[in-house]
Amino acid sequence: DVRRGNGLSVLASAPGSFDAVFLDPPFDANLWGKALPAAASALADDGFVYLEAPTEWGEAQLAPLGLALARHLKAGAVHAHLLRRAA
């Protein structure tokens, strides 16, 4: 099931039910503070969040959200993260 709409509203509509959440907000909009907590609460126990951001998100930033870094890569100005629920 793929859902389209306002990302924050869609994530809030089904807590704990998403296997994958893709976050690629406009870099200058500074939406990570809203988008990541919403994605974390919507994520199924064995789900993943894919995040693109202009900076790397480390364990210290992710832990309070209940997320952990599974993989990270940098391509040009983009940091790509694969996140999972923290153990």
Side-chain angles (χ1 to χ4, degrees):
D1 184 28
V2 176
R3 298 186 192 182
R4 183 176 178 193
N6 177 295
L8 296 176
S9 298
V10 170
L11 292 172
S13 71
S17 64
F18 287 91
D19 295 320
V21 176
F22 296 87
L23 297 177
D24 183 14
F27 285 3
D28 61 352
N30 199 22
L31 294 173
W32 293 276
K34 292 180 181 179
L36 273 173
S41 66
L43 199 60
D45 288 338
D46 58 350
F48 288 92
V49 175
Y50 172 80
L51 167 67
E52 287 192 357
T55 59
E56 182 176 356
W57 282 71
E59 295 293 340
Q61 295 166 293
L62 297 169
L65 302 171
L67 296 171
L69 187 63
R71 296 192 126 200
H72 170 264
L73 68 85
K74 184 174 186 304
V78 177
H79 288 264
H81 307 76
L82 186 61
L83 311 173
R84 58 176 169 70
R85 286 203 177 274

